[in-house]
Amino acid sequence: MPSHGIRDKVAIVGMGCTTFGEHWDASADDLVLEAVRAACASGGVSDVEVDAYWLSTLASGNSGLALSRPLRLPYKPVTRVENYCAGGSDALRNACYAVASGAYDTAMAVGVEKLKDSGMSGLSAPAVPGDGTEPDLTAPAAFSLLARAYGQKYGLADGTLRDVLDRIAWKNHANGALNPRAHFRRAVSRETLRKAPRVAGELGVFDCSGVSDGAAAALVVRAEDAYRYTDRPLFVKALALAVGPATGTADPEYDFTSFPEVGHSAADAYRQAGITDPGAELALAEVHDCFTVTELVLMEDLGFAPPGEAWRAVLDGAFDRDGALPVNPDGGLKAFGHPIGASGLRMLFECWLQLRGEAPQERALSASALGRGLALTHNLGGGPGECLSFVSVVGVEPPAPAKRHHTSAVARTA
C-alpha cells in the first residue's frame, strides 16, 4: 500500500548550502557549521532552538556525535542516517515525519561528506560480505550497462547515443558554470566532450559526476507555523522512498533500461502531491545524474518522457534551463558535485532558491516555469537492478497576510 503522505503539513523555512568542491582547508565539522548556521539564519533561529536533528553521512562521521560535537549541542536528539546516495533525502524525510507527528515543533536535516582527503575515489562505503553472486563492478561499469542496453532496445546508433550523452553533460556543465556554489564552474564544448577518454563502456570522463566535499541543511516546522519564520516557506507536498528487492542483476527479465524503484517512488510521490502530468506541472526537477545515462533513463522513469523517447527530448532541449521542464538547473551531480550525504539536500536547496525567486538573474528560471509553483527532487542509491529511490515534491503557497516572523532566542535576549 502506498504511503498516505503528509501533504501541506510541514514547511521548509530555512536552508543552507556550502560550495561543493575540493575543500582542503575545511573539515567536515567546518562544512557542517557553515550549512547549519546558514539554515538557522534564514529561518531566524539559533541551533539550540531546533528540537531534533537528523544527520546524513556515508563516511564522514559516526553516530549523532558527528553533528553534536561541532555544534556543541546541549543534549539534543541527533540521529545519523545512512541510505547510500539518498541519505540526505532520507534525513529530510525523517525530520519532516517527526514534525508532522507532533513529536517536535522544529527539526533539521543535515547532510555532509568530506571525500577529497579520505584517500578514496568515488563511493567510500565498506564492502559487505555476500554470498558471491553479486557482480563485482565499479560504479561506472555498472551504470555503463544502461547505455548499451538503452541504445540496443530503442535502436540508437552509437553516434546518436553519444550525442545524447554529450548533450546531457553539456547542459549540466553549462548550468554549473553559472552557479557560484558548483564544484565545476566551466562550460565544456561538445568537441571536448566527444574526445574525452572512456572510463567504462560508453561512459567517458565527462559522463561521470564529481567527487566532492560539501554540506547542506534544511529547517522544517509545522505548516501552520511557517510564516512565523519566513514570508516565503516551501511546503512539503510529497516524500516517497522505495527500496527494491535487489534481484535485478539475477533476473533474466531485467533489461537495464529502467529503474523500477524510481517508477514506484515517483508514482507514490505524484499520488501524494496530486500531480497527474509532471512534465507540465513542475517548475523544475533536480535528479540524480550520477552518470549522464542515468539522467537519460530517469527522464522516462519519472514520467517526463514516454519510454524510448527521452533521447529525442534531450536533443530537442526539452530539459535545458529554458526548456519545457528545466532539469538540474544548478548543474546537478555532474557539475555541482556529489558529496554523498549532502546531495539530496543540495537538490532541495536549488528548489528553495528558484521557487523563492532568490536564484541570481543569470540562472533564474522563467516566470512561466516558476509560476507552476512545484519542484521535484530525486535521489538514487545503489546501482541498476539493486537500488533505492527517493522522490520529493515541494511547492509554494500564496503569501499569507499579517504574518509575524519568528524571533530567535538569541535575538530576544540580545
Side-chain angles (χ1 to χ4, degrees), residues 56 82-83 115 154 165 173 183 187 212 228 253 265 267 314 335 340 348 367 378 404 412:
S56 163
E82 189 284 299
N83 220 347
L115 298 175
Y154 298 116
L165 300 184
H173 275 285
H183 188 164
S212 315
R228 294 175 53 209
E253 298 299 318
S265 60
V314 167
I340 300 161
L348 187 66
H378 167 265
R404 180 174 60 86
R412 287 196 298 268

mmCIF file of all heavy atoms in Angstrom, residues 56 82-83 115 154 165 173 183 187 212 228 253 265 267 314 335 340 348 367 378 404 412:
data_model
loop_
_atom_site.group_PDB
_atom_site.id
_atom_site.type_symbol
_atom_site.label_atom_id
_atom_site.label_comp_id
_atom_site.label_asym_id
_atom_site.label_seq_id
_atom_site.Cartn_x
_atom_site.Cartn_y
_atom_site.Cartn_z
ATOM 1 N N SER A 56 22.887 13.117 7.795
ATOM 2 C CA SER A 56 23.236 12.127 6.775
ATOM 3 C C SER A 56 24.716 12.225 6.441
ATOM 4 O O SER A 56 25.213 13.298 6.100
ATOM 5 C CB SER A 56 22.422 12.370 5.496
ATOM 6 O OG SER A 56 23.010 11.693 4.396
ATOM 7 N N GLU A 82 21.988 6.802 7.172
ATOM 8 C CA GLU A 82 22.818 6.381 6.041
ATOM 9 C C GLU A 82 21.955 5.568 5.100
ATOM 10 O O GLU A 82 21.413 4.536 5.480
ATOM 11 C CB GLU A 82 24.013 5.558 6.523
ATOM 12 C CG GLU A 82 25.047 5.266 5.450
ATOM 13 C CD GLU A 82 24.618 4.180 4.475
ATOM 14 O OE1 GLU A 82 24.389 3.040 4.927
ATOM 15 O OE2 GLU A 82 24.503 4.479 3.264
ATOM 16 N N ASN A 83 21.788 6.042 3.886
ATOM 17 C CA ASN A 83 20.998 5.324 2.893
ATOM 18 C C ASN A 83 21.613 5.542 1.514
ATOM 19 O O ASN A 83 20.967 6.004 0.581
ATOM 20 C CB ASN A 83 19.531 5.782 2.918
ATOM 21 C CG ASN A 83 18.579 4.612 2.740
ATOM 22 O OD1 ASN A 83 18.990 3.511 2.368
ATOM 23 N ND2 ASN A 83 17.299 4.834 3.005
ATOM 24 N N LEU A 115 35.143 13.990 1.215
ATOM 25 C CA LEU A 115 35.674 12.866 0.457
ATOM 26 C C LEU A 115 37.059 13.109 -0.128
ATOM 27 O O LEU A 115 37.817 12.164 -0.355
ATOM 28 C CB LEU A 115 34.715 12.514 -0.690
ATOM 29 C CG LEU A 115 33.307 12.071 -0.285
ATOM 30 C CD1 LEU A 115 32.441 11.883 -1.525
ATOM 31 C CD2 LEU A 115 33.354 10.788 0.520
ATOM 32 N N TYR A 154 16.177 0.635 -28.145
ATOM 33 C CA TYR A 154 15.449 1.652 -28.896
ATOM 34 C C TYR A 154 16.099 1.995 -30.231
ATOM 35 O O TYR A 154 15.723 2.982 -30.874
ATOM 36 C CB TYR A 154 15.279 2.896 -28.030
ATOM 37 C CG TYR A 154 14.458 2.610 -26.790
ATOM 38 C CD1 TYR A 154 15.017 2.718 -25.513
ATOM 39 C CD2 TYR A 154 13.136 2.194 -26.888
ATOM 40 C CE1 TYR A 154 14.267 2.439 -24.373
ATOM 41 C CE2 TYR A 154 12.378 1.904 -25.752
ATOM 42 C CZ TYR A 154 12.951 2.030 -24.502
ATOM 43 O OH TYR A 154 12.213 1.739 -23.389
ATOM 44 N N LEU A 165 24.269 11.565 -24.775
ATOM 45 C CA LEU A 165 25.007 11.648 -23.517
ATOM 46 C C LEU A 165 25.821 12.936 -23.447
ATOM 47 O O LEU A 165 25.890 13.580 -22.392
ATOM 48 C CB LEU A 165 25.906 10.421 -23.355
ATOM 49 C CG LEU A 165 25.196 9.061 -23.338
ATOM 50 C CD1 LEU A 165 26.206 7.934 -23.067
ATOM 51 C CD2 LEU A 165 24.070 9.020 -22.312
ATOM 52 N N HIS A 173 26.982 21.047 -17.415
ATOM 53 C CA HIS A 173 28.166 21.878 -17.222
ATOM 54 C C HIS A 173 27.858 23.342 -17.529
ATOM 55 O O HIS A 173 28.391 24.247 -16.866
ATOM 56 C CB HIS A 173 29.317 21.369 -18.092
ATOM 57 C CG HIS A 173 30.103 20.269 -17.440
ATOM 58 N ND1 HIS A 173 30.994 20.498 -16.427
ATOM 59 C CD2 HIS A 173 30.104 18.929 -17.651
ATOM 60 C CE1 HIS A 173 31.525 19.353 -16.039
ATOM 61 N NE2 HIS A 173 31.002 18.387 -16.765
ATOM 62 N N HIS A 183 30.928 22.771 -7.955
ATOM 63 C CA HIS A 183 32.304 22.272 -7.986
ATOM 64 C C HIS A 183 32.972 22.614 -9.320
ATOM 65 O O HIS A 183 34.093 23.107 -9.355
ATOM 66 C CB HIS A 183 32.289 20.753 -7.768
ATOM 67 C CG HIS A 183 33.632 20.137 -7.579
ATOM 68 N ND1 HIS A 183 33.797 18.872 -7.059
ATOM 69 C CD2 HIS A 183 34.887 20.577 -7.854
ATOM 70 C CE1 HIS A 183 35.088 18.586 -7.013
ATOM 71 N NE2 HIS A 183 35.767 19.598 -7.492
ATOM 72 N N ALA A 187 31.937 25.866 -18.568
ATOM 73 C CA ALA A 187 31.221 25.197 -19.659
ATOM 74 C C ALA A 187 32.211 24.328 -20.438
ATOM 75 O O ALA A 187 33.404 24.635 -20.525
ATOM 76 C CB ALA A 187 30.586 26.229 -20.571
ATOM 77 N N SER A 212 33.174 15.160 -4.404
ATOM 78 C CA SER A 212 33.238 16.495 -3.813
ATOM 79 C C SER A 212 33.104 16.461 -2.302
ATOM 80 O O SER A 212 32.626 15.487 -1.709
ATOM 81 C CB SER A 212 32.109 17.375 -4.372
ATOM 82 O OG SER A 212 31.990 17.249 -5.766
ATOM 83 N N ARG A 228 5.706 32.293 10.670
ATOM 84 C CA ARG A 228 6.388 32.900 11.810
ATOM 85 C C ARG A 228 7.891 32.978 11.556
ATOM 86 O O ARG A 228 8.591 33.751 12.213
ATOM 87 C CB ARG A 228 6.132 32.093 13.077
ATOM 88 C CG ARG A 228 4.685 32.082 13.578
ATOM 89 C CD ARG A 228 4.545 31.145 14.766
ATOM 90 N NE ARG A 228 5.523 31.468 15.800
ATOM 91 C CZ ARG A 228 6.031 30.569 16.641
ATOM 92 N NH1 ARG A 228 5.686 29.298 16.530
ATOM 93 N NH2 ARG A 228 6.911 30.938 17.559
ATOM 94 N N GLU A 253 14.635 -11.176 -16.704
ATOM 95 C CA GLU A 253 13.657 -10.265 -17.273
ATOM 96 C C GLU A 253 14.091 -8.795 -17.166
ATOM 97 O O GLU A 253 13.532 -7.937 -17.830
ATOM 98 C CB GLU A 253 12.302 -10.433 -16.570
ATOM 99 C CG GLU A 253 11.697 -11.821 -16.720
ATOM 100 C CD GLU A 253 11.435 -12.158 -18.182
ATOM 101 O OE1 GLU A 253 10.948 -11.278 -18.917
ATOM 102 O OE2 GLU A 253 11.745 -13.301 -18.586
ATOM 103 N N SER A 265 8.618 4.992 -6.636
ATOM 104 C CA SER A 265 8.695 6.180 -5.778
ATOM 105 C C SER A 265 8.039 7.384 -6.446
ATOM 106 O O SER A 265 7.380 8.191 -5.782
ATOM 107 C CB SER A 265 10.149 6.487 -5.416
ATOM 108 O OG SER A 265 10.927 6.723 -6.572
ATOM 109 N N ALA A 267 5.527 7.321 -8.677
ATOM 110 C CA ALA A 267 4.073 7.146 -8.648
ATOM 111 C C ALA A 267 3.507 7.487 -7.283
ATOM 112 O O ALA A 267 2.450 8.130 -7.165
ATOM 113 C CB ALA A 267 3.722 5.707 -9.033
ATOM 114 N N VAL A 314 15.899 15.085 -25.063
ATOM 115 C CA VAL A 314 17.204 15.632 -24.677
ATOM 116 C C VAL A 314 17.806 16.428 -25.827
ATOM 117 O O VAL A 314 18.241 17.571 -25.662
ATOM 118 C CB VAL A 314 18.153 14.493 -24.255
ATOM 119 C CG1 VAL A 314 19.590 15.003 -24.162
ATOM 120 C CG2 VAL A 314 17.725 13.901 -22.920
ATOM 121 N N ALA A 335 27.919 18.621 -12.369
ATOM 122 C CA ALA A 335 28.732 19.824 -12.261
ATOM 123 C C ALA A 335 28.731 20.430 -10.863
ATOM 124 O O ALA A 335 29.736 20.998 -10.441
ATOM 125 C CB ALA A 335 28.268 20.868 -13.275
ATOM 126 N N ILE A 340 28.325 12.646 -0.986
ATOM 127 C CA ILE A 340 27.220 11.682 -0.970
ATOM 128 C C ILE A 340 26.115 12.036 0.027
ATOM 129 O O ILE A 340 24.937 12.090 -0.322
ATOM 130 C CB ILE A 340 27.778 10.276 -0.704
ATOM 131 C CG1 ILE A 340 28.769 9.903 -1.813
ATOM 132 C CG2 ILE A 340 26.658 9.244 -0.628
ATOM 133 C CD1 ILE A 340 29.712 8.789 -1.464
ATOM 134 N N LEU A 348 17.373 20.066 -2.901
ATOM 135 C CA LEU A 348 16.289 20.847 -2.297
ATOM 136 C C LEU A 348 16.659 22.320 -2.215
ATOM 137 O O LEU A 348 15.803 23.192 -2.375
ATOM 138 C CB LEU A 348 15.983 20.291 -0.907
ATOM 139 C CG LEU A 348 14.773 20.876 -0.188
ATOM 140 C CD1 LEU A 348 13.485 20.514 -0.915
ATOM 141 C CD2 LEU A 348 14.726 20.389 1.258
ATOM 142 N N ALA A 367 9.625 33.149 -15.645
ATOM 143 C CA ALA A 367 8.444 33.394 -14.824
ATOM 144 C C ALA A 367 7.347 32.376 -15.124
ATOM 145 O O ALA A 367 6.609 31.954 -14.230
ATOM 146 C CB ALA A 367 7.931 34.813 -15.055
ATOM 147 N N HIS A 378 14.996 14.172 -6.876
ATOM 148 C CA HIS A 378 15.097 12.719 -6.986
ATOM 149 C C HIS A 378 16.501 12.259 -6.634
ATOM 150 O O HIS A 378 17.487 12.765 -7.171
ATOM 151 C CB HIS A 378 14.768 12.221 -8.395
ATOM 152 C CG HIS A 378 15.186 10.787 -8.567
ATOM 153 N ND1 HIS A 378 16.404 10.426 -9.125
ATOM 154 C CD2 HIS A 378 14.584 9.629 -8.197
ATOM 155 C CE1 HIS A 378 16.519 9.111 -9.095
ATOM 156 N NE2 HIS A 378 15.432 8.615 -8.532
ATOM 157 N N ARG A 404 3.636 37.178 11.309
ATOM 158 C CA ARG A 404 4.764 37.717 12.056
ATOM 159 C C ARG A 404 5.943 36.752 12.013
ATOM 160 O O ARG A 404 5.780 35.554 12.213
ATOM 161 C CB ARG A 404 4.343 37.943 13.513
ATOM 162 C CG ARG A 404 5.445 38.518 14.403
ATOM 163 C CD ARG A 404 4.879 38.851 15.777
ATOM 164 N NE ARG A 404 4.343 37.676 16.429
ATOM 165 C CZ ARG A 404 5.092 36.840 17.153
ATOM 166 N NH1 ARG A 404 6.382 37.036 17.282
ATOM 167 N NH2 ARG A 404 4.532 35.806 17.746
ATOM 168 N N ARG A 412 16.123 37.674 21.086
ATOM 169 C CA ARG A 412 15.274 38.161 22.176
ATOM 170 C C ARG A 412 16.079 38.551 23.399
ATOM 171 O O ARG A 412 15.672 39.418 24.162
ATOM 172 C CB ARG A 412 14.251 37.091 22.532
ATOM 173 C CG ARG A 412 13.146 36.903 21.515
ATOM 174 C CD ARG A 412 11.992 36.118 22.116
ATOM 175 N NE ARG A 412 12.398 34.787 22.525
ATOM 176 C CZ ARG A 412 12.303 33.708 21.743
ATOM 177 N NH1 ARG A 412 11.849 33.825 20.518
ATOM 178 N NH2 ARG A 412 12.672 32.526 22.191
#
